Amino acid sequence: MLQPEVIKDFSGGANLRGQPLAMADNDLLACENMYPVAAGYLIGRGGQTEYNSTQIDSNPIKGLYRFYKQNGLGITLATSGTQVWRGNDTTGVFSSIDTGYTSGQRFSFTTWTAKDKVYWTNNAQVIKSYDGTTVATLGGSPPVSKQIEMYQERLYALLDNGVRFTDLAVDNVWQGTALLNISDNRGGVGKFLKAANRVLIAGKTTGLWRLEGSPLLGNVFIEYSKVGCIAPETADIVTIVSNGQVVPVGVAFLSTDGVYITDGYEVRLISEKIDPLFSGFFRGAVGKYYPKRRQYWLTFDPSGGANSQTWIA
């Protein structure tokens, strides 16, 4: 007599390759509105709470960032239209804190905890800072840049084929003639700039670069992979908790054939089981690492329209 078999392990997640012999015992043919956790069982996606009940303005949100002050105060920042907005976590009301930006631009943010400031850039206007009270344009002729990152007590700003940087421990002195070169002969352009695993990583459409050398003797970016990033908003830092501290260990990002993770030295594909999804180049995709659940979330649209699907790793 046949006995029912209880399946408890779904940790393999969805496998869309369509090959029965390639399916593992813990794989799923499909999985919607649920996700597997490390222990193997499935969890429903859960609910959500609305932050604000009315639109910020008539334009779509192009940037969203949570800035934490040294005293623990959390500040929600959003960009929409020509303005940067600050949200009130109690009422959900957003107030404009700065204006004059080019509408439709994506924003990049970074926090410099020692200075108790957040910095942002949008590839159209120069870098600005905010201390929770005042928005200020940086001194020292800051560049118009695509992304910004704080690394080892300097600000670094990404351009198409180079990286600008400040003097040590200051945000208002930019080396006017010093440009860290990331140009190549394949026509690549800069897409992301992230610090993880104690290394600064620059992602281009044609490959990955890491910063090497000494600030005193001279730094240089070295290309270490031909795997490129096609969607800058998918690049996000992956973290772990070690000895009670949150440690950035890598960067996840979308390439032409799937989602990869890099630690600044090696690159690994993490989306093998959903390869059939990547039939096109989703340059408008958005990705975010969710540290509480140790998951990377990618939202995209297979037809190239507005993002309408979300995949979780």
Side-chain angles (χ1 to χ4, degrees), residues 286-301:
V286 176
K288 192 67 179 173
Y289 180 69
Y290 189 178
K292 183 178 180 179
R293 294 180 176 172
R294 296 187 298 175
Q295 296 172 342
Y296 177 78
W297 294 51
L298 177 73
T299 180
F300 60 95
D301 182 73

Side-chain angles (χ1 to χ4, degrees), residues 106-108 146-147 158 189-194 203 205 229-236 251-254 282-287 296:
R106 295 281 190 182
F107 278 66
S108 169
K146 307 178 81 169
Q147 292 210 350
L158 177 69
V189 295
K191 287 296 182 179
F192 73 79
L193 189 66
K194 301 289 185 185
T205 52
C229 174
I230 62 171
E233 299 304 315
T234 64
D236 199 28
V251 179
F253 64 93
L254 178 66
F282 309 137
R283 293 185 172 88
V286 176
Y296 177 78

Side-chain angles (χ1 to χ4, degrees), residues 35-293:
Y35 62 88
V37 296
Y41 54 86
L42 294 173
I43 291 181
R45 70 175 185 176
Q48 57 190 13
T49 301
E50 190 175 56
Y51 185 92
N52 61 322
S53 57
T54 58
Q55 289 181 244
I56 294 177
D57 63 10
S58 60
N59 300 285
I61 294 174
K62 289 293 185 177
L64 191 64
Y65 188 77
R66 186 72 169 174
F67 166 46
Y68 287 95
K69 297 280 290 179
Q70 290 179 356
N71 61 8
L73 174 66
I75 299 174
T76 298
L77 300 174
T79 68
S80 178
T82 62
Q83 301 179 77
V84 176
W85 306 76
R86 174 174 173 167
N88 184 309
D89 290 347
T90 301
T91 65
V93 175
F94 279 83
S95 302
S96 175
I97 59 173
D98 200 29
T99 189
Y101 297 91
T102 301
S103 183
Q105 293 293 109
R106 295 281 190 182
F107 278 66
S108 169
F109 296 84
T110 192
T111 296
W112 194 336
T113 302
K115 294 191 177 297
D116 213 17
K117 295 179 183 179
V118 60
Y119 301 81
W120 60 70
T121 188
N122 69 345
N123 201 29
Q125 280 74 42
V126 296
I127 300 166
K128 291 191 176 183
S129 68
Y130 180 57
D131 61 5
T133 302
T134 304
V135 176
T137 299
L138 300 185
S141 300
V144 173
S145 59
K146 307 178 81 169
Q147 292 210 350
I148 187 168
E149 183 78 326
M150 197 286 292
Y151 175 68
Q152 293 188 346
E153 300 304 306
R154 297 177 190 265
L155 289 177
Y156 289 83
L158 177 69
L159 311 180
D160 276 342
N161 288 293
V163 177
R164 293 277 307 278
F165 57 93
T166 64
D167 278 0
L168 184 65
V170 297
D171 60 9
N172 60 354
V173 180
W174 293 82
Q175 295 294 327
T177 59
L179 179 70
L180 296 170
N181 184 32
I182 56 171
S183 61
D184 58 48
N185 59 4
R186 303 186 301 280
V189 295
K191 287 296 182 179
F192 73 79
L193 189 66
K194 301 289 185 185
N197 194 33
R198 299 182 180 180
V199 64
L200 184 63
I201 304 168
K204 298 184 65 178
T205 52
T206 50
L208 301 173
W209 302 63
R210 68 170 175 265
L211 186 63
E212 291 190 349
S214 165
L216 297 178
L217 302 177
N219 285 338
V220 62
F221 272 97
I222 302 294
E223 186 178 21
Y224 67 93
S225 173
K226 294 296 193 294
V227 177
C229 174
I230 62 171
E233 299 304 315
T234 64
D236 199 28
I237 296 172
V238 176
T239 60
I240 63 171
V241 177
S242 177
N243 296 322
Q245 300 293 319
V246 177
V247 180
V249 295
V251 179
F253 64 93
L254 178 66
S255 189
T256 55
D257 59 343
V259 178
Y260 287 79
I261 186 170
T262 179
D263 62 359
Y265 297 90
E266 297 180 351
V267 187
R268 179 169 61 91
L269 182 68
I270 61 173
S271 60
E272 301 100 321
K273 293 182 180 180
I274 60 168
D275 282 347
L277 291 177
F278 301 103
S279 57
F281 296 165
F282 309 137
R283 293 185 172 88
V286 176
K288 192 67 179 173
Y289 180 69
Y290 189 178
K292 183 178 180 179
R293 294 180 176 172

